[in-house]
Amino acid sequence: NAGVMQNPRHLVRRRGQEARLRCSPMKGHSHVYWYRQLPEEGLKFMVYLQKENIIDESGMPKERFSAEFPKEGPSILRIQQVVRGDSAAYFCASSPLVYQRDEQYFGPGTRLTVT
Amino acid sequence: SQKIEQNSEALNIQEGKTATLTCNYTNYSPAYLQWYRQDPGRGPVFLLLIRENEKEKRKERLKVTFDTTLKQSLFHITASQPADSATYLCAPSSGGYQKVTFGTGTKLQVIP
């Protein structure tokens, strides 16, 4: 039973390039969350998706960031025209969302470095 | 706005003692509360979930309490070991199609 998978684990981009981060949830989980974590800081919620739907994107910057979770394939977090401030660890989590049981299972994260 | 507070300072305890971590929340009425562990460079790992109608929950050396009147959860690790050293995050939740908000975490250091 594979856990949440994220790739790549490390990603280096120059300023102005695009970053694509992928997340495959655990088998049977149809809800995906993306978080950003800066060094020595807490997890900051970005977006919550269900298959083909964005449920809550209140934590995602309005510009340059987008997320999707298509019917087939992994969830993608896309950052266009990256800037140095986008350097962080990005974690994806999935949950089964059974009544009163939405514990989240996290992937290993993608560490984005913008040079 | 909703606020989750955890001890911002690191907690250092001697091996074998009980570690107690605090999570307070305001402007919030969660149906349940979760605790996670995060090691450096890794994603958080789910530990325990306690519901609002449960006062206490145990799992091996872990114990969680949930006081909805005080708006507080306590997380205890008994007979602590150096391997318990990590950052512990609390996450109150209302359930359903609601995002889960995490506290900033408390860093625990168990000294041999």
Side-chain angles (χ1 to χ4, degrees):
Chain A
N1 185 13
V4 176
M5 296 169 64
Q6 287 188 252
N7 66 79
R9 295 292 307 277
H10 300 274
L11 182 61
V12 179
R13 284 286 178 265
R14 289 200 181 97
R15 277 182 300 168
Q17 290 184 319
E18 178 180 288
R20 279 188 178 234
L21 288 62
R22 293 175 193 77
C23 169
S24 296
M26 282 183 72
K27 188 176 180 182
H29 290 190
S30 58
H31 297 260
V32 164
Y33 310 79
W34 285 93
Y35 296 87
R36 177 162 63 177
Q37 189 172 41
L38 292 167
E40 305 302 319
E41 291 191 15
L43 283 169
K44 300 295 183 190
F45 168 81
M46 296 182 74
V47 62
Y48 168 17
L49 309 110
Q50 195 184 3
K51 284 278 187 185
E52 299 185 282
N53 281 312
I54 296 175
I55 307 295
D56 184 339
E57 56 182 347
S58 60
M60 202 147 71
K62 295 282 186 281
E63 297 178 357
R64 301 189 299 109
F65 286 73
S66 63
E68 62 176 10
F69 189 14
K71 189 175 179 182
E72 302 289 339
S75 174
I76 306 281
L77 178 68
R78 185 179 173 206
I79 311 172
Q80 294 178 292
Q81 299 176 327
V82 296
V83 301
R84 287 221 172 97
D86 296 332
S87 296
Y90 291 83
F91 290 100
C92 161
S94 70
S95 77
L97 203 70
V98 177
Y99 176 66
Q100 281 200 341
R101 210 200 105 198
D102 65 358
E103 65 266 25
Q104 298 186 13
Y105 295 84
F106 282 80
T110 293
R111 273 140 195 89
L112 173 65
T113 302
V114 180
T115 61
Chain B
S1 61
Q2 296 170 352
K3 198 173 178 183
I4 304 166
E5 291 181 339
Q6 295 187 252
N7 306 33
S8 56
E9 294 181 12
L11 178 64
N12 296 321
I13 64 161
Q14 207 68 37
E15 183 178 3
K17 302 289 186 187
T18 295
T20 299
L21 285 66
T22 306
C23 174
N24 295 298
Y25 55 91
T26 54
N27 298 324
Y28 215 153
S29 296
Y32 53 94
L33 191 143
Q34 305 175 45
W35 282 89
Y36 291 77
R37 167 187 172 139
Q38 186 174 24
D39 292 281
R42 294 176 174 264
V45 174
F46 171 75
L47 295 175
L48 278 169
L49 180 153
I50 184 167
R51 296 183 174 80
E52 60 180 339
N53 61 350
E54 297 174 315
K55 295 297 181 192
E56 180 180 297
K57 197 135 186 200
R58 291 175 186 261
K59 180 183 175 184
E60 298 172 354
R61 294 184 295 111
L62 308 180
K63 184 179 90 171
V64 171
T65 62
F66 191 12
D67 190 323
T68 55
T69 302
L70 291 178
K71 294 186 180 293
Q72 180 181 78
S73 175
L74 298 178
F75 179 81
H76 307 271
I77 306 175
T78 57
S80 59
Q81 304 166 1
D84 295 326
S85 299
T87 297
Y88 291 86
L89 311 171
C90 79
S93 175
S94 299
Y97 291 104
Q98 301 281 335
K99 69 184 183 190
V100 175
T101 303
F102 287 81
T104 52
T106 298
K107 189 172 182 178
L108 172 68
Q109 186 75 33
V110 180
I111 303 161

